[in-house]
Amino acid sequence: MADYNNFDANQNNQNGYQAQPTDNYGQQFGYGAPVAPQEKKGQSIASLVLGICSFIAWIIPLFGYPVTIVGIIMGAVGMKKGGKGMAIAGIICSSIGLVLSLINSIAGAMMMMSLM
């Protein structure tokens, strides 16, 4: 059993390393469990944000095309790194924005042709 009066002395051995915590039977705990690597979701989140922004950006095709294309690329890269659900949602939203931008461009070109 640990000497609770000399807590600091019991925590550090003679080399200055901190002792690992143990239970009442001398078994170490808390350090043996495997830890899953943390997913990197930054590009998936960026894809989803750009996909949502593409619903507004399609109104001006000059802004709509770059926003949607970057959103699709970020979603494709984000699917490999983590956050697969957000990446898929970002790709879908960006694809819808791309189609809307294309329709808006065609409609604008048709309107200009009818004026001539």
Side-chain angles (χ1 to χ4, degrees):
M1 190 108 136
D3 182 14
Y4 293 109
N5 295 329
N6 274 335
F7 181 75
D8 292 331
N10 289 330
Q11 290 298 312
N12 296 324
N13 64 11
Q14 60 188 343
N15 294 330
Y17 295 110
Q18 187 173 6
Q20 293 182 349
T22 59
D23 61 6
N24 291 335
Y25 302 105
Q27 303 269 335
Q28 293 180 350
F29 61 93
Y31 292 100
V35 178
Q38 190 174 14
E39 293 181 342
K40 296 179 181 178
K41 300 180 182 179
Q43 291 178 332
S44 299
I45 293 170
S47 171
L48 183 59
V49 169
L50 288 172
I52 292 169
C53 290
S54 72
F55 289 134
I56 297 170
W58 72 270
I59 296 170
I60 303 172
L62 184 64
F63 298 130
Y65 287 121
V67 169
T68 57
I69 291 170
V70 171
I72 290 170
I73 293 170
M74 289 281 226
V77 173
M79 283 183 64
K80 296 177 184 175
K81 292 190 175 183
K84 189 173 182 179
M86 285 187 285
I88 291 171
I91 290 171
I92 291 170
C93 291
S94 294
S95 298
I96 292 170
L98 184 62
V99 169
L100 290 173
S101 295
L102 185 62
I103 291 170
N104 191 14
S105 296
I106 293 171
M110 298 288 279
M111 289 170 65
M112 288 304 291
M113 294 298 283
S114 67
L115 292 176
M116 293 184 152

XYZ file of all heavy atoms in Angstrom:
847
model
N 0.842 -1.166 0.000
C 0.000 0.000 0.000
C 0.891 1.234 0.000
O 1.966 1.248 0.557
C -0.895 -0.030 1.219
C -1.945 1.020 1.155
S -3.500 0.260 0.842
C -4.482 1.118 1.972
N 0.424 2.295 -0.664
C 1.211 3.521 -0.820
C 1.238 4.306 0.481
O 0.293 4.286 1.259
C 0.629 4.375 -1.931
N 2.339 4.971 0.700
C 2.477 5.838 1.855
C 1.896 7.198 1.481
O 2.489 7.944 0.712
C 3.953 5.958 2.235
C 4.167 6.806 3.471
O 3.186 7.088 4.182
O 5.326 7.172 3.723
N 0.718 7.510 2.005
C 0.026 8.731 1.605
C 0.638 9.985 2.212
O 0.388 11.080 1.760
C -1.460 8.639 1.971
C -2.165 7.601 1.163
C -2.585 6.418 1.740
C -2.369 7.782 -0.195
C -3.219 5.454 0.984
C -2.991 6.814 -0.964
C -3.420 5.659 -0.359
O -4.040 4.710 -1.114
N 1.466 9.840 3.237
C 2.121 11.001 3.812
C 3.244 11.516 2.916
O 3.588 12.681 2.963
C 2.683 10.666 5.200
C 1.583 10.344 6.180
O 0.478 10.880 6.054
N 1.858 9.467 7.136
N 3.853 10.643 2.142
C 4.933 11.005 1.228
C 4.450 10.852 -0.217
O 5.070 10.166 -1.016
C 6.160 10.121 1.444
C 7.056 10.649 2.525
O 7.038 11.843 2.777
N 7.812 9.776 3.145
N 3.380 11.496 -0.553
C 2.789 11.330 -1.882
C 3.752 11.759 -2.986
O 3.922 11.049 -3.965
C 1.484 12.124 -1.980
C 0.802 11.980 -3.293
C 0.119 10.814 -3.605
C 0.843 12.990 -4.246
C -0.503 10.661 -4.820
C 0.225 12.844 -5.467
C -0.452 11.666 -5.745
N 4.371 12.919 -2.825
C 5.292 13.402 -3.858
C 6.495 12.481 -4.013
O 6.962 12.228 -5.123
C 5.773 14.822 -3.546
C 4.647 15.841 -3.662
O 3.721 15.596 -4.470
O 4.700 16.862 -2.960
N 6.985 11.968 -2.938
C 8.137 11.077 -2.999
C 7.771 9.753 -3.665
O 8.579 9.146 -4.360
C 8.686 10.822 -1.600
N 6.533 9.295 -3.451
C 6.110 8.035 -4.058
C 5.802 8.190 -5.543
O 5.874 7.232 -6.297
C 4.867 7.486 -3.344
C 5.204 6.971 -1.962
O 6.317 6.510 -1.735
N 4.254 7.046 -1.054
N 5.439 9.385 -5.988
C 5.087 9.602 -7.383
C 6.311 9.669 -8.282
O 6.238 9.336 -9.447
C 4.267 10.885 -7.547
C 2.873 10.784 -6.979
C 2.054 9.711 -7.669
O 2.017 9.659 -8.876
N 1.442 8.845 -6.896
N 7.421 10.114 -7.787
C 8.640 10.229 -8.592
C 9.696 9.268 -8.040
O 9.981 9.269 -6.865
C 9.194 11.658 -8.548
C 8.242 12.647 -9.173
O 7.573 12.332 -10.145
N 8.164 13.826 -8.605
N 10.263 8.472 -8.926
C 11.326 7.593 -8.463
C 12.646 8.362 -8.457
O 12.688 9.563 -8.704
C 11.394 6.314 -9.311
C 11.758 6.589 -10.758
O 12.165 7.686 -11.107
N 11.618 5.583 -11.595
N 13.743 7.665 -8.242
C 15.022 8.343 -8.088
C 15.512 9.032 -9.357
O 16.318 9.946 -9.295
C 16.075 7.355 -7.593
C 16.282 6.185 -8.537
C 17.184 5.144 -7.939
O 17.889 5.432 -6.978
N 17.176 3.945 -8.497
N 15.027 8.623 -10.537
C 15.450 9.257 -11.788
C 14.569 10.440 -12.166
O 14.800 11.067 -13.186
C 15.452 8.240 -12.929
C 16.493 7.170 -12.713
O 17.516 7.432 -12.097
N 16.221 5.974 -13.189
N 13.532 10.712 -11.401
C 12.668 11.834 -11.684
C 11.482 11.501 -12.574
O 10.709 12.374 -12.923
N 11.323 10.226 -12.964
C 10.189 9.850 -13.794
C 8.959 9.639 -12.919
O 9.048 9.105 -11.821
C 10.479 8.563 -14.576
C 11.581 8.729 -15.578
C 12.809 8.117 -15.411
C 11.383 9.509 -16.706
C 13.819 8.271 -16.333
C 12.381 9.679 -17.640
C 13.596 9.056 -17.444
O 14.592 9.222 -18.361
N 7.828 10.044 -13.440
C 6.598 9.901 -12.677
C 6.090 8.470 -12.773
O 6.074 7.870 -13.847
C 5.533 10.855 -13.211
C 4.292 10.884 -12.362
C 3.322 11.957 -12.828
O 3.545 12.587 -13.840
N 2.268 12.154 -12.073
N 5.688 7.931 -11.645
C 5.187 6.565 -11.609
C 3.802 6.497 -12.237
O 3.023 7.440 -12.153
C 5.121 6.070 -10.170
N 3.494 5.374 -12.894
C 2.172 5.193 -13.479
C 1.191 4.792 -12.370
O 1.558 4.090 -11.438
C 2.204 4.124 -14.560
C 3.021 4.534 -15.757
C 3.000 3.474 -16.831
O 2.542 2.366 -16.605
N 3.504 3.818 -17.995
N -0.063 5.230 -12.480
C -1.033 4.901 -11.436
C -1.339 3.402 -11.416
O -1.322 2.733 -12.446
C -2.267 5.699 -11.831
C -2.093 6.022 -13.263
C -0.633 6.055 -13.522
N -1.572 2.886 -10.228
C -1.891 1.472 -10.067
C -3.142 1.338 -9.224
O -3.522 2.251 -8.482
C -0.734 0.719 -9.380
O -0.499 1.313 -8.101
C 0.532 0.775 -10.207
N -3.794 0.185 -9.331
C -4.940 -0.070 -8.465
C -4.436 -0.679 -7.159
O -3.241 -0.719 -6.889
C -5.958 -0.963 -9.165
C -5.389 -2.315 -9.541
O -4.247 -2.608 -9.163
O -6.105 -3.082 -10.206
N -5.330 -1.168 -6.321
C -4.947 -1.687 -5.001
C -4.101 -2.953 -5.072
O -3.464 -3.326 -4.104
C -6.196 -1.965 -4.160
C -6.891 -0.691 -3.764
O -6.266 0.367 -3.698
N -8.185 -0.766 -3.506
N -4.091 -3.647 -6.202
C -3.349 -4.890 -6.335
C -2.021 -4.710 -7.065
O -1.362 -5.664 -7.423
C -4.203 -5.931 -7.059
C -5.497 -6.201 -6.348
C -6.684 -5.690 -6.838
C -5.525 -6.936 -5.166
C -7.873 -5.907 -6.181
C -6.715 -7.152 -4.498
C -7.884 -6.642 -5.004
O -9.060 -6.856 -4.338
N -1.631 -3.469 -7.348
C -0.369 -3.214 -8.013
C -0.447 -3.307 -9.529
O 0.562 -3.230 -10.197
N -1.636 -3.487 -10.068
C -1.815 -3.566 -11.518
C -1.906 -2.157 -12.091
O -2.598 -1.311 -11.550
C -3.102 -4.328 -11.850
C -3.168 -5.715 -11.268
C -2.613 -6.742 -12.214
O -2.609 -6.528 -13.405
N -2.145 -7.854 -11.675
N -1.219 -1.926 -13.191
C -1.306 -0.624 -13.851
C -2.595 -0.552 -14.645
O -3.055 -1.542 -15.189
C -0.121 -0.410 -14.780
C 1.188 -0.293 -14.049
C 2.336 -0.086 -15.005
O 2.175 -0.211 -16.200
N 3.493 0.236 -14.458
N -3.162 0.639 -14.698
C -4.377 0.812 -15.474
C -4.351 2.139 -16.204
O -3.629 3.046 -15.835
C -5.632 0.730 -14.608
C -5.714 1.776 -13.538
C -6.371 2.975 -13.765
C -5.137 1.589 -12.302
C -6.453 3.947 -12.794
C -5.215 2.550 -11.318
C -5.879 3.733 -11.574
N -5.138 2.230 -17.257
C -5.294 3.485 -17.971
C -4.339 3.689 -19.132
O -4.530 4.589 -19.922
N -3.309 2.887 -19.260
C -2.339 3.135 -20.313
C -2.305 2.025 -21.366
O -1.666 2.168 -22.381
C -0.935 3.301 -19.724
C -0.803 4.549 -18.921
C -0.878 4.513 -17.552
C -0.645 5.784 -19.552
C -0.779 5.667 -16.810
C -0.533 6.933 -18.816
C -0.599 6.876 -17.444
O -0.502 8.009 -16.721
N -2.994 0.919 -21.157
C -2.889 -0.203 -22.063
C -3.952 -0.258 -23.144
O -3.844 -1.036 -24.062
N -4.979 0.555 -23.033
C -6.070 0.486 -23.998
C -5.635 1.110 -25.325
O -5.043 2.179 -25.347
C -7.292 1.222 -23.460
N -5.925 0.425 -26.434
C -5.567 1.020 -27.732
C -6.460 2.211 -28.047
O -7.638 2.221 -27.729
C -5.806 -0.121 -28.716
C -6.784 -1.010 -28.038
C -6.514 -0.883 -26.561
N -5.881 3.200 -28.668
C -6.603 4.420 -29.006
C -6.676 4.526 -30.523
O -5.664 4.431 -31.206
C -5.902 5.664 -28.412
C -6.615 6.931 -28.807
C -5.799 5.537 -26.910
N -7.887 4.720 -31.039
C -8.060 4.860 -32.484
C -7.523 6.216 -32.929
O -7.681 7.212 -32.219
C -9.534 4.748 -32.856
N -6.885 6.275 -34.090
C -6.390 7.571 -34.574
C -7.553 8.506 -34.877
O -8.604 8.077 -35.357
C -5.617 7.224 -35.837
C -6.156 5.909 -36.265
C -6.592 5.206 -35.025
N -7.363 9.770 -34.572
C -8.409 10.756 -34.773
C -8.532 11.091 -36.258
O -7.535 11.299 -36.938
C -8.084 12.015 -33.976
C -9.221 12.995 -33.919
C -8.906 14.151 -33.000
O -7.766 14.346 -32.605
N -9.902 14.922 -32.663
N -9.784 11.111 -36.747
C -10.015 11.425 -38.151
C -9.779 12.910 -38.392
O -10.064 13.737 -37.537
C -11.444 11.074 -38.550
C -11.745 9.602 -38.539
C -13.174 9.319 -38.979
O -14.007 10.237 -38.953
O -13.436 8.168 -39.331
N -9.295 13.219 -39.584
C -9.104 14.606 -39.983
C -10.284 14.993 -40.866
O -10.378 14.574 -42.003
C -7.786 14.759 -40.720
C -6.607 14.446 -39.834
C -5.305 14.579 -40.560
C -4.161 14.226 -39.627
N -2.882 14.288 -40.284
N -11.187 15.771 -40.308
C -12.436 16.094 -40.983
C -12.461 17.484 -41.592
O -13.481 17.919 -42.078
C -13.600 15.977 -39.996
C -13.771 14.611 -39.409
C -14.933 14.584 -38.454
C -15.092 13.236 -37.818
N -16.202 13.210 -36.880
N -11.363 18.193 -41.593
C -11.333 19.576 -42.050
C -11.783 19.753 -43.486
O -12.575 20.647 -43.798
N -11.311 18.899 -44.380
C -11.681 19.041 -45.787
C -13.123 18.621 -46.025
O -13.794 19.163 -46.901
C -10.712 18.258 -46.657
C -9.344 18.891 -46.655
C -8.333 18.134 -47.466
O -8.445 16.929 -47.625
N -7.336 18.845 -47.969
N -13.606 17.670 -45.238
C -15.013 17.280 -45.362
C -15.932 18.402 -44.916
O -16.962 18.671 -45.546
C -15.286 16.028 -44.539
O -14.508 14.959 -44.985
N -15.559 19.070 -43.835
C -16.348 20.204 -43.350
C -16.315 21.338 -44.367
O -17.340 21.970 -44.649
C -15.829 20.660 -41.966
C -16.098 19.572 -40.923
C -16.472 21.977 -41.551
C -15.425 19.814 -39.599
N -15.135 21.597 -44.934
C -15.019 22.652 -45.951
C -15.878 22.332 -47.170
O -16.522 23.220 -47.735
C -13.558 22.816 -46.365
N -15.925 21.066 -47.563
C -16.756 20.661 -48.689
C -18.228 20.904 -48.392
O -18.965 21.404 -49.250
C -16.518 19.181 -49.000
O -17.448 18.721 -49.941
N -18.657 20.567 -47.193
C -20.057 20.779 -46.821
C -20.395 22.260 -46.773
O -21.449 22.689 -47.264
C -20.343 20.118 -45.474
C -21.781 20.178 -44.977
C -22.725 19.513 -45.976
C -21.894 19.522 -43.625
N -19.507 23.072 -46.234
C -19.742 24.522 -46.172
C -19.805 25.115 -47.581
O -20.694 25.924 -47.891
C -18.651 25.214 -45.317
C -18.717 26.722 -45.457
C -18.793 24.817 -43.862
N -18.880 24.703 -48.449
C -18.905 25.199 -49.828
C -20.144 24.716 -50.564
O -20.705 25.437 -51.401
C -17.637 24.777 -50.570
C -16.368 25.494 -50.154
C -15.157 24.849 -50.809
C -16.441 26.963 -50.499
N -20.591 23.499 -50.273
C -21.809 22.992 -50.884
C -23.027 23.804 -50.484
O -23.900 24.101 -51.302
N -23.081 24.180 -49.219
C -24.194 25.015 -48.748
C -24.101 26.412 -49.353
O -25.110 26.989 -49.772
C -24.207 25.054 -47.205
C -24.564 23.663 -46.661
C -25.184 26.097 -46.692
C -24.360 23.508 -45.173
N -22.892 26.954 -49.434
C -22.708 28.281 -50.036
C -23.028 28.275 -51.527
O -23.410 29.314 -52.086
C -21.280 28.767 -49.824
S -20.893 29.183 -48.126
N -22.905 27.122 -52.168
C -23.182 27.059 -53.604
C -24.659 27.281 -53.913
O -25.004 27.652 -55.032
C -22.714 25.727 -54.179
O -23.549 24.666 -53.758
N -25.532 27.066 -52.915
C -26.960 27.329 -53.125
C -27.239 28.824 -53.288
O -28.272 29.202 -53.818
C -27.799 26.756 -51.988
C -27.865 25.255 -51.986
C -27.686 24.553 -50.820
C -28.088 24.548 -53.148
C -27.746 23.171 -50.807
C -28.149 23.163 -53.154
C -27.977 22.482 -51.974
N -26.328 29.649 -52.824
C -26.458 31.099 -53.007
C -25.590 31.553 -54.178
O -25.983 32.427 -54.953
C -26.049 31.837 -51.710
C -26.999 31.446 -50.577
C -26.042 33.338 -51.912
C -26.564 31.900 -49.221
N -24.425 30.937 -54.336
C -23.457 31.378 -55.351
C -23.909 31.079 -56.778
O -23.414 31.710 -57.712
C -22.100 30.730 -55.085
N -24.829 30.174 -57.004
C -25.254 29.834 -58.364
C -25.959 30.989 -59.055
O -26.027 31.022 -60.280
C -26.156 28.599 -58.378
C -27.537 28.843 -57.829
C -27.923 28.701 -56.535
C -28.688 29.274 -58.543
N -29.251 29.020 -56.394
C -29.747 29.368 -57.623
C -28.936 29.593 -59.875
C -31.027 29.775 -57.986
C -30.218 29.986 -60.235
C -31.245 30.075 -59.301
N -26.437 31.942 -58.257
C -27.150 33.086 -58.832
C -26.215 33.866 -59.755
O -26.636 34.355 -60.804
C -27.726 33.972 -57.709
C -28.769 33.169 -56.927
C -28.335 35.244 -58.266
C -29.247 33.833 -55.662
N -24.960 33.986 -59.385
C -23.952 34.637 -60.226
C -22.983 33.540 -60.654
O -22.134 33.121 -59.868
C -23.222 35.754 -59.454
C -24.224 36.765 -58.931
C -22.176 36.413 -60.346
C -23.629 37.794 -58.002
N -23.099 33.051 -61.889
C -22.261 31.917 -62.316
C -20.762 32.167 -62.184
O -19.997 31.221 -62.008
C -22.657 31.704 -63.777
C -24.033 32.252 -63.877
C -24.074 33.407 -62.916
N -20.349 33.411 -62.231
C -18.933 33.726 -62.070
C -18.434 33.256 -60.700
O -17.282 32.827 -60.563
C -18.710 35.237 -62.235
C -17.282 35.738 -62.180
C -16.485 35.178 -63.348
C -17.251 37.252 -62.196
N -19.291 33.319 -59.688
C -18.939 32.837 -58.351
C -19.346 31.383 -58.152
O -18.717 30.646 -57.394
C -19.603 33.689 -57.264
C -19.178 35.120 -57.273
C -20.118 36.131 -57.258
C -17.845 35.470 -57.306
C -19.739 37.462 -57.272
C -17.450 36.792 -57.320
C -18.405 37.794 -57.303
N -20.410 30.982 -58.818
C -20.949 29.638 -58.629
C -20.018 28.537 -59.075
O -19.867 27.518 -58.392
N -19.396 28.713 -60.244
C -18.515 27.661 -60.766
C -17.320 27.380 -59.850
O -17.073 26.224 -59.504
C -18.049 27.980 -62.186
C -19.136 27.805 -63.218
C -19.533 28.863 -64.021
C -19.765 26.581 -63.392
C -20.529 28.703 -64.970
C -20.758 26.420 -64.335
C -21.140 27.485 -65.123
O -22.125 27.312 -66.054
N -16.550 28.387 -59.445
C -15.391 28.075 -58.578
C -15.795 27.478 -57.229
O -15.143 26.554 -56.742
C -14.696 29.419 -58.377
C -15.214 30.315 -59.422
C -16.544 29.800 -59.828
N -16.876 28.002 -56.635
C -17.304 27.494 -55.327
C -17.695 26.030 -55.424
O -17.294 25.203 -54.596
C -18.468 28.357 -54.775
C -19.111 27.695 -53.570
C -17.974 29.744 -54.405
N -18.470 25.687 -56.453
C -18.941 24.305 -56.559
C -17.818 23.344 -56.949
O -17.752 22.228 -56.421
C -20.084 24.204 -57.588
O -19.636 24.700 -58.847
C -21.286 24.990 -57.141
N -16.927 23.773 -57.840
C -15.835 22.882 -58.258
C -14.876 22.618 -57.097
O -14.470 21.476 -56.859
C -15.109 23.464 -59.487
C -16.047 23.404 -60.697
C -13.814 22.721 -59.762
C -15.558 24.146 -61.916
N -14.553 23.661 -56.339
C -13.676 23.467 -55.168
C -14.384 22.602 -54.123
O -13.753 21.751 -53.481
C -13.239 24.832 -54.577
C -12.531 24.654 -53.253
C -12.344 25.566 -55.557
N -15.691 22.771 -53.960
C -16.449 21.941 -53.017
C -16.430 20.473 -53.395
O -16.292 19.599 -52.533
N -16.539 20.185 -54.683
C -16.502 18.790 -55.141
C -15.112 18.195 -54.929
O -14.971 17.052 -54.457
C -16.930 18.700 -56.618
C -18.426 19.010 -56.743
C -16.628 17.325 -57.199
C -18.906 19.181 -58.162
N -14.074 18.960 -55.235
C -12.700 18.468 -55.051
C -12.405 18.231 -53.576
O -11.832 17.200 -53.200
C -11.687 19.445 -55.683
C -11.837 19.448 -57.207
C -10.258 19.101 -55.280
C -11.059 20.541 -57.906
N -12.799 19.171 -52.732
C -12.570 19.010 -51.284
C -13.316 17.794 -50.746
O -12.819 17.086 -49.875
C -13.018 20.256 -50.522
C -12.137 21.432 -50.743
S -10.673 21.302 -49.766
C -10.589 22.924 -49.117
N -14.520 17.557 -51.250
C -15.287 16.393 -50.812
C -14.623 15.089 -51.222
O -14.597 14.125 -50.452
N -14.082 15.045 -52.428
C -13.403 13.831 -52.888
C -12.159 13.543 -52.059
O -11.895 12.392 -51.690
C -13.036 13.967 -54.362
N -11.406 14.573 -51.737
C -10.203 14.391 -50.907
C -10.604 14.076 -49.469
O -9.978 13.245 -48.802
C -9.310 15.647 -50.969
C -8.156 15.556 -50.001
C -8.800 15.852 -52.389
N -11.673 14.720 -48.980
C -12.129 14.506 -47.608
C -12.653 13.106 -47.364
O -12.590 12.609 -46.238
N -13.173 12.448 -48.391
C -13.660 11.076 -48.217
C -12.528 10.121 -47.876
O -12.726 9.148 -47.155
C -14.367 10.600 -49.487
C -15.755 11.166 -49.632
S -16.616 10.559 -51.072
C -16.755 8.835 -50.685
N -11.331 10.405 -48.347
C -10.188 9.533 -48.083
C -9.628 9.747 -46.684
O -9.076 8.826 -46.089
C -9.090 9.778 -49.112
C -9.500 9.412 -50.511
C -8.407 9.747 -51.502
C -8.864 9.464 -52.921
N -7.869 9.901 -53.903
N -9.754 10.965 -46.153
C -9.106 11.291 -44.882
C -10.012 11.115 -43.670
O -9.525 10.903 -42.575
C -8.587 12.724 -44.926
C -7.453 12.886 -45.896
C -6.805 14.215 -45.757
C -5.599 14.298 -46.661
N -4.877 15.524 -46.522
N -11.316 11.218 -43.822
C -12.223 11.082 -42.693
C -13.414 11.997 -42.846
O -13.404 12.937 -43.636
N -14.455 11.716 -42.105
C -15.665 12.503 -42.216
C -16.410 12.188 -43.500
O -16.817 13.082 -44.233
N -16.579 10.906 -43.778
C -17.125 10.466 -45.056
C -18.544 10.987 -45.279
O -18.887 11.390 -46.387
C -17.104 8.942 -45.114
C -17.432 8.379 -46.462
C -17.233 6.878 -46.486
C -17.520 6.333 -47.860
N -17.311 4.893 -47.933
N -19.374 11.010 -44.257
C -20.752 11.476 -44.405
C -20.829 12.941 -44.790
O -21.609 13.326 -45.669
N -20.017 13.769 -44.135
C -19.995 15.192 -44.480
C -19.438 15.411 -45.881
O -19.893 16.297 -46.596
C -19.176 15.976 -43.451
C -19.883 16.170 -42.139
S -18.981 17.257 -41.032
C -17.672 16.192 -40.510
N -18.464 14.615 -46.261
C -17.882 14.747 -47.602
C -18.911 14.398 -48.671
O -19.023 15.102 -49.683
C -16.653 13.849 -47.733
N -19.670 13.336 -48.452
C -20.708 12.954 -49.417
C -21.777 14.035 -49.508
O -22.216 14.403 -50.605
C -21.311 11.588 -49.043
C -20.278 10.488 -49.267
C -22.569 11.299 -49.855
C -20.687 9.137 -48.735
N -22.197 14.561 -48.360
C -23.194 15.639 -48.363
C -22.654 16.872 -49.083
O -23.385 17.538 -49.833
C -23.592 15.989 -46.933
N -21.386 17.190 -48.891
C -20.768 18.323 -49.571
C -20.697 18.123 -51.066
O -20.934 19.057 -51.843
N -20.378 16.896 -51.490
C -20.323 16.604 -52.925
C -21.712 16.730 -53.545
O -21.869 17.294 -54.637
C -19.718 15.202 -53.169
C -18.230 15.201 -52.828
C -19.940 14.754 -54.605
C -17.601 13.833 -52.824
N -22.720 16.217 -52.857
C -24.090 16.300 -53.387
C -24.550 17.752 -53.486
O -25.084 18.178 -54.517
C -25.049 15.456 -52.519
C -24.737 13.969 -52.699
C -26.503 15.746 -52.865
C -25.460 13.064 -51.727
N -24.337 18.523 -52.424
C -24.752 19.941 -52.443
C -23.986 20.716 -53.513
O -24.570 21.542 -54.229
C -24.528 20.571 -51.070
S -25.622 19.968 -49.797
N -22.693 20.462 -53.638
C -21.896 21.160 -54.642
C -22.318 20.766 -56.056
O -22.330 21.606 -56.961
C -20.407 20.862 -54.445
O -19.946 21.405 -53.230
N -22.666 19.502 -56.247
C -23.123 19.054 -57.564
C -24.435 19.721 -57.944
O -24.619 20.138 -59.100
C -23.292 17.533 -57.579
O -22.063 16.904 -57.333
N -25.347 19.841 -56.993
C -26.612 20.541 -57.253
C -26.337 22.000 -57.585
O -26.911 22.563 -58.525
C -27.564 20.398 -56.047
C -28.017 18.947 -55.900
C -28.775 21.321 -56.195
C -28.755 18.667 -54.606
N -25.426 22.630 -56.842
C -25.047 24.015 -57.130
C -24.409 24.169 -58.496
O -24.633 25.165 -59.189
N -23.618 23.176 -58.912
C -22.986 23.217 -60.229
C -24.037 23.128 -61.343
O -23.976 23.873 -62.326
C -21.968 22.091 -60.364
C -21.149 22.038 -61.647
C -20.309 23.298 -61.794
C -20.266 20.810 -61.650
N -25.007 22.249 -61.161
C -26.082 22.126 -62.158
C -26.895 23.424 -62.219
O -27.223 23.910 -63.309
C -26.978 20.909 -61.836
C -28.244 20.912 -62.675
C -26.208 19.617 -62.021
N -27.187 24.008 -61.066
C -27.926 25.278 -61.051
C -27.118 26.390 -61.722
O -27.682 27.216 -62.446
C -28.296 25.660 -59.622
C -29.354 24.795 -58.941
C -29.493 25.179 -57.469
C -30.683 24.902 -59.650
N -25.814 26.436 -61.489
C -24.964 27.445 -62.141
C -24.954 27.256 -63.649
O -25.004 28.238 -64.405
C -23.531 27.362 -61.608
O -23.472 27.705 -60.253
N -24.896 26.011 -64.087
C -24.900 25.717 -65.519
C -26.238 26.131 -66.156
O -26.250 26.764 -67.219
C -24.642 24.222 -65.740
C -24.508 23.754 -67.171
C -23.308 24.425 -67.831
C -24.364 22.251 -67.213
N -27.335 25.814 -65.484
C -28.655 26.218 -65.992
C -28.766 27.741 -66.053
O -29.282 28.305 -67.034
C -29.777 25.603 -65.132
C -29.826 24.090 -65.336
C -31.127 26.232 -65.450
C -30.736 23.369 -64.361
N -28.257 28.409 -65.031
C -28.303 29.871 -64.999
C -27.451 30.457 -66.131
O -27.841 31.446 -66.755
C -27.833 30.380 -63.644
C -28.109 31.849 -63.449
O -28.878 32.461 -64.189
N -27.491 32.411 -62.430
N -26.299 29.866 -66.410
C -25.451 30.345 -67.505
C -26.143 30.171 -68.850
O -26.121 31.077 -69.697
C -24.133 29.580 -67.525
O -23.409 29.814 -66.365
N -26.740 29.031 -69.050
C -27.445 28.759 -70.316
C -28.636 29.705 -70.481
O -28.859 30.260 -71.564
C -27.876 27.277 -70.384
C -26.633 26.387 -70.486
C -28.810 27.042 -71.550
C -26.914 24.918 -70.337
N -29.371 29.902 -69.379
C -30.518 30.815 -69.455
C -30.064 32.227 -69.758
O -30.719 32.944 -70.563
C -31.289 30.780 -68.139
N -28.958 32.670 -69.179
C -28.430 34.000 -69.470
C -27.992 34.134 -70.900
O -28.223 35.174 -71.537
N -27.346 33.099 -71.434
C -26.912 33.126 -72.830
C -28.111 33.143 -73.768
O -28.101 33.866 -74.793
C -26.020 31.931 -73.117
N -29.144 32.400 -73.451
C -30.362 32.383 -74.280
C -31.053 33.742 -74.279
O -31.546 34.188 -75.300
C -31.319 31.293 -73.781
C -30.782 29.879 -73.863
S -30.703 29.272 -75.504
C -32.383 28.793 -75.733
N -31.069 34.384 -73.135
C -31.689 35.709 -73.035
C -30.907 36.727 -73.862
O -31.494 37.592 -74.518
C -31.793 36.144 -71.577
C -32.823 35.368 -70.793
S -32.785 35.661 -69.028
C -33.245 37.347 -68.926
N -29.586 36.641 -73.832
C -28.768 37.565 -74.617
C -28.950 37.302 -76.114
O -28.953 38.255 -76.909
C -27.287 37.417 -74.240
C -26.952 37.969 -72.866
S -27.406 39.683 -72.652
C -26.244 40.486 -73.734
N -29.109 36.065 -76.514
C -29.312 35.739 -77.929
C -30.667 36.226 -78.406
O -30.806 36.635 -79.568
C -29.191 34.223 -78.144
C -27.794 33.674 -77.897
S -26.574 34.363 -78.995
C -26.919 33.464 -80.467
N -31.656 36.227 -77.544
C -32.995 36.665 -77.952
C -33.049 38.191 -78.114
O -33.903 38.701 -78.820
C -34.045 36.198 -76.955
O -33.876 36.854 -75.719
N -32.158 38.909 -77.450
C -32.126 40.361 -77.564
C -31.469 40.808 -78.875
O -31.683 41.930 -79.315
C -31.383 40.994 -76.383
C -32.078 40.860 -75.031
C -31.168 41.442 -73.948
C -33.418 41.564 -75.035
N -30.695 39.992 -79.491
C -29.980 40.353 -80.702
C -30.827 40.218 -81.905
O -31.689 39.780 -82.313
C -28.723 39.540 -80.865
C -27.718 39.863 -79.823
S -26.214 38.953 -80.166
C -25.063 40.041 -79.444
